[in-house]
């Protein structure tokens, strides 16, 4: 089984000559709190919160660690999109909205449809 890792480029202070932003990266796995190493989608909200949709649920990056989002646990997150104050999540055959910490089901997705992005 091939493991996938989420890599985020961190804005780091200059480390001297020969160090470039492209060379600075952080690898996140289940050891840092992701529900799964199989990351399927990533979205960044305007407030700087980063969300990762994995094969076993949704997580958000807080204080350098990933925290599972309970409403979206235990099943694959197919796609994510972040707006100004809302996160759209394709999860368990439906499109969901997450706003102010609350999840609301918007609509069922047609059977057999595989989302690649929102």
């Amino acid at each position: 089984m091939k493991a996938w890792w989420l890599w985020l480029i961190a804005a780091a202070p200059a480390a001297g000559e020969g160090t470039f932003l492209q060379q600075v990266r952080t690898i996140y796995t289940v050891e840092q709190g992701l529900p799964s190493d199989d990351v399927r989608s990533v979205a960044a909200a305007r407030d700087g919160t980063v969300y990762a949709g994995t094969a076993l649920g949704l997580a958000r990056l807080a204080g350098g660690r990933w925290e599972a989002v309970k409403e979206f646990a235990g099943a694959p997150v197919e796609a994510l999109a972040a707006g100004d104050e809302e996160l759209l999540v394709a999860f368990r055959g439906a499109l969901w909205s997450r706003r102010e910490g609350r999840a609301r089901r918007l609509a069922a997705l047609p059977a057999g449809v595989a989302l690649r992005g929102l």
Side-chain angles (χ1 to χ4, degrees), residues 7-16 18-27:
W7 294 18
L8 296 177
I9 295 176
T19 301
F20 301 95
L21 184 59
Q22 304 90 304
Q23 294 173 327
V24 179
R25 65 178 177 239
T26 303
I27 299 172

Side-chain angles (χ1 to χ4, degrees), residues 39-40 43 46 96 111:
V39 175
R40 298 179 174 198
R46 182 171 274 181
W96 295 78

Side-chain angles (χ1 to χ4, degrees), residues 10 16 25 46 48 69 78 81 88 93 96 103 106 108 116:
R25 65 178 177 239
R46 182 171 274 181
V69 177
E78 298 301 326
L88 296 176
W96 295 78
L106 299 177
R116 300 289 180 236

Side-chain angles (χ1 to χ4, degrees), residues 2-92:
K2 189 173 184 181
W4 292 92
W5 297 307
L6 175 63
W7 294 18
L8 296 177
I9 295 176
E17 284 186 45
T19 301
F20 301 95
L21 184 59
Q22 304 90 304
Q23 294 173 327
V24 179
R25 65 178 177 239
T26 303
I27 299 172
Y28 294 102
T29 67
V30 293
E31 291 179 17
Q32 288 77 37
L34 283 172
S36 167
D37 287 342
D38 183 359
V39 175
R40 298 179 174 198
S41 57
V42 177
R46 182 171 274 181
D47 68 1
T49 303
V50 178
Y51 294 91
T54 76
L56 294 175
L58 180 67
R60 71 181 195 89
L61 187 60
R65 276 204 56 82
W66 290 93
E67 297 176 351
V69 177
K70 293 177 185 176
E71 300 93 348
F72 303 104
V77 171
E78 298 301 326
L80 295 173
D84 288 340
E85 298 177 9
E86 178 178 39
L87 181 70
L88 296 176
V89 183
F91 179 75
R92 293 195 177 187

